Amino acid sequence: MSQPRATKVLVIGYVWPEPRSSAASGHVMQILETFLQQGWDITFSSPAGIGEHKADLAELGIREVPIELNNSSFDAFVSDLAPDIVLFDQFMMEEQFGWRVEKHCPTALRVLETSDLQSLRHARHQRLKDRLKASDDANDFSELFAPALGEEFELMADTDLAKREIAALYRCDLNLMISEVEIELLVEQFKLPRQLLHWCPLMLDPITQPFTPFEDRAHFLSIGNFRHAPNWDAVLWMKTTLWPLIRQQLPGAQLHIYGAYTPPKATALHNPSQGFHVMNWAEDALQVMSAARICLAPLRFGAGIKGKIVDAMLCGTPNITTPIGAEGMSAGQPWPGAIGETAAALADAAVARYNDKALWLESQEHGRRLINERYRQQVHGPALIERLAYCRDNLDHIRSHNFIGSMLRHHAHKSTQYMAQWIEAKNRVSS
């Protein structure tokens, strides 16, 4: 008796995954590993160039196929592959390739992995810029962290980015959301049907190993891809305001800042006499995190959930962050460190946990409990597979009850199709 055919999955990535460089890529890898556990046949494609820290997908048994934007060669490729599920990594890939997938593989389940709500992150960035123009107070940013969902909606609603992103969510059969806060924003304010959304946070194994002891750790650490604007802004705030406040209380303290793709503007901040060390990329982020006593993550804007904070919890390293950094992560459980809205509050909390072993151990235990109760792969992996199976079995029903998505596909995909064909014809003539 013949074996049933393995489910075919095509993942279209905005970039090739670099899990040691960004939390977004780490989340994509967790999803891929969940699919591999099912024995699914996976192809990963991207129009992006190869980054220097790219994961070796082929070693995992995943085919790697480069693709091109605005090129009909994709049509033949996707027709021949005939995937059962197409996962778009970030909404721009749905914009570029969604109409081609719908045309050539109409029965394929179309899923969007959002990473974070980019229009929310950009709106918050603009709010920070406005605040910096309006006031030279570099300490208190509490007004940035207070808005209700309705106020967030007001910030986003008129932006082109939000209109593009929300349209892409409507056009897909299912959207994977990493933050429950963003789910509520989409449902309550943008009126997106809840059935189009699935909570898929970071998926991790329980923490069972002992942590590096308090006495064997030293220094403060901050880590994050420098290409990600919230991380660079946090570095600047630490350099100008937060770190000097910590050094006032701990004159011999050191801050080690790690990040992929370190630009010259970051290395220019390196100043050992101030204890401010820009260390470039960490070969093993968990190793350097485990050697640090405190993780600093003073994010003044952003979205999604923060991989650096999850890494800190995995390593038993208390973290000091803002309400933006903690958003969507704890569901009311005790925070594994401290949350502050001013540089002074963050500095005081960081110094207190650096010096007080009992307080440090308490924060560490909060992190262990949070990971083991909220981010278990054994829970979220099967839930994702079950949701995908339900959507595949009920695809006609899902699409018939998503008229707005159907309408948006009709109009947007036609315009995207004609633009892509025009660009391809133009490129053909110019070459």
Side-chain angles (χ1 to χ4, degrees):
M1 187 174 179
S2 61
Q3 294 292 323
R5 180 178 71 85
T7 297
K8 280 190 177 182
V9 181
L10 171 63
V11 181
I12 304 177
Y14 180 68
V15 295
W16 295 94
E18 295 190 13
R20 293 186 296 170
S21 299
S22 76
S25 284
H27 191 229
V28 169
M29 292 301 297
Q30 291 166 4
I31 293 171
L32 293 176
E33 288 161 6
T34 299
F35 293 169
L36 288 171
Q37 290 170 8
Q38 301 298 307
W40 289 0
D41 183 340
I42 307 172
T43 301
F44 194 101
S45 296
S46 177
I50 302 295
E52 58 184 285
H53 308 306
K54 172 186 165 297
D56 189 349
L57 300 179
E59 186 178 22
L60 299 174
I62 299 172
R63 280 185 298 278
E64 300 178 354
V65 181
I67 53 178
E68 294 184 42
L69 298 172
N70 305 308
N71 194 313
S72 56
S73 61
F74 179 85
D75 301 347
F77 159 67
V78 77
S79 295
D80 291 342
L81 184 64
D84 302 296
I85 300 172
V86 176
L87 178 69
F88 303 103
D89 172 32
Q90 301 195 31
F91 80 90
M92 296 82 78
M93 293 300 94
E94 189 281 334
E95 284 185 327
Q96 290 288 339
F97 296 100
W99 68 271
R100 294 185 186 274
V101 170
E102 181 175 16
K103 181 177 180 180
H104 298 285
C105 303
T107 61
L109 181 70
R110 297 186 293 271
V111 183
L112 175 58
E113 199 284 307
T114 58
S115 178
D116 66 5
L117 205 54
Q118 294 187 37
S119 50
L120 175 61
R121 170 161 42 90
H122 281 256
R124 286 173 168 174
H125 194 182
Q126 185 59 50
R127 183 169 61 202
L128 172 61
K129 292 176 182 177
D130 294 342
R131 157 65 176 77
L132 293 173
K133 289 178 182 178
S135 170
D136 59 2
D137 178 7
N139 174 55
D140 188 352
F141 290 88
S142 54
E143 73 268 26
L144 299 181
F145 309 133
L149 293 182
E151 294 178 68
E152 301 283 29
F153 174 76
E154 293 295 332
L155 283 172
M156 299 166 63
D158 284 338
T159 66
D160 289 343
L161 187 61
K163 292 168 185 174
R164 291 172 54 200
E165 188 169 27
I166 304 304
L169 296 172
Y170 265 111
R171 287 193 296 262
C172 287
D173 304 310
L174 185 66
N175 300 279
L176 308 185
M177 305 300 301
I178 203 167
S179 168
E180 290 172 305
V181 172
E182 294 176 6
I183 290 177
E184 293 309 308
L185 175 64
L186 291 171
V187 171
E188 298 299 327
Q189 300 300 321
F190 287 95
K191 307 304 180 184
L192 205 79
R194 192 176 292 272
Q195 62 266 27
L196 292 181
L197 307 173
H198 177 77
W199 181 47
C200 183
L202 296 180
M203 298 181 283
L204 307 164
D205 293 327
I207 299 173
T208 57
Q209 77 282 3
F211 296 125
T212 304
F214 177 86
E215 293 80 8
D216 295 340
R217 296 177 183 239
H219 310 316
F220 295 81
L221 173 141
S222 184
I223 192 166
N225 190 325
F226 282 106
R227 290 179 175 174
H228 192 53
N231 294 336
W232 173 238
D233 175 73
V235 170
L236 292 177
W237 195 30
M238 285 188 288
K239 175 70 173 180
T240 60
T241 308
L242 176 58
W243 185 243
L245 293 173
I246 292 175
R247 286 274 287 190
Q248 286 176 12
Q249 300 183 61
L250 297 172
Q254 294 184 33
L255 170 59
H256 296 169
I257 298 175
Y258 293 88
Y261 302 105
T262 310
K265 65 182 179 181
T267 55
L269 301 179
H270 180 73
N271 191 328
S273 68
Q274 298 175 348
F276 198 90
H277 299 264
V278 179
M279 310 292 287
N280 209 326
W281 182 65
E283 180 80 25
D284 187 336
L286 297 183
Q287 182 181 54
V288 297
M289 184 69 80
S290 294
R293 191 173 288 182
I294 299 291
C295 170
L296 298 179
L299 297 162
R300 294 190 289 189
F301 72 98
I305 61 176
K306 314 306 180 292
K308 60 178 70 62
I309 292 177
V310 170
D311 285 349
M313 289 189 279
L314 287 171
C315 297
T317 307
N319 76 84
I320 310 300
T321 191
T322 64
I324 291 289
E327 182 179 81
M329 296 196 68
S330 68
Q333 295 190 41
W335 188 252
I339 303 168
E341 299 185 351
T342 67
L346 292 167
D348 289 346
V351 171
R353 281 155 184 78
Y354 193 89
N355 287 332
D356 187 331
K357 180 179 178 180
L359 188 57
W360 187 87
L361 288 171
E362 180 184 63
S363 297
Q364 182 181 82
E365 188 55 34
H366 291 331
R368 183 199 301 272
R369 190 177 305 122
L370 191 54
I371 289 291
N372 290 352
E373 293 180 6
R374 186 166 169 81
Y375 296 100
R376 293 174 67 95
Q377 197 281 336
Q378 296 93 328
V379 172
H380 298 294
L384 173 59
I385 297 302
E386 181 180 346
R387 186 66 182 274
L388 293 173
Y390 172 84
C391 290
R392 289 185 64 195
D393 291 343
N394 297 275
L395 190 55
D396 289 342
H397 175 81
I398 290 170
R399 289 180 177 173
S400 67
H401 285 74
N402 182 15
F403 175 77
I404 292 177
S406 175
M407 178 176 62
L408 289 169
R409 288 198 307 273
H410 174 78
H411 290 287
H413 282 177
K414 288 297 183 185
S415 61
T416 303
Q417 173 183 347
Y418 297 142
M419 176 60 74
Q421 291 171 339
W422 179 82
I423 293 173
E424 182 178 10
K426 183 173 178 289
N427 291 341
R428 192 181 301 121
V429 170
S430 62
S431 62

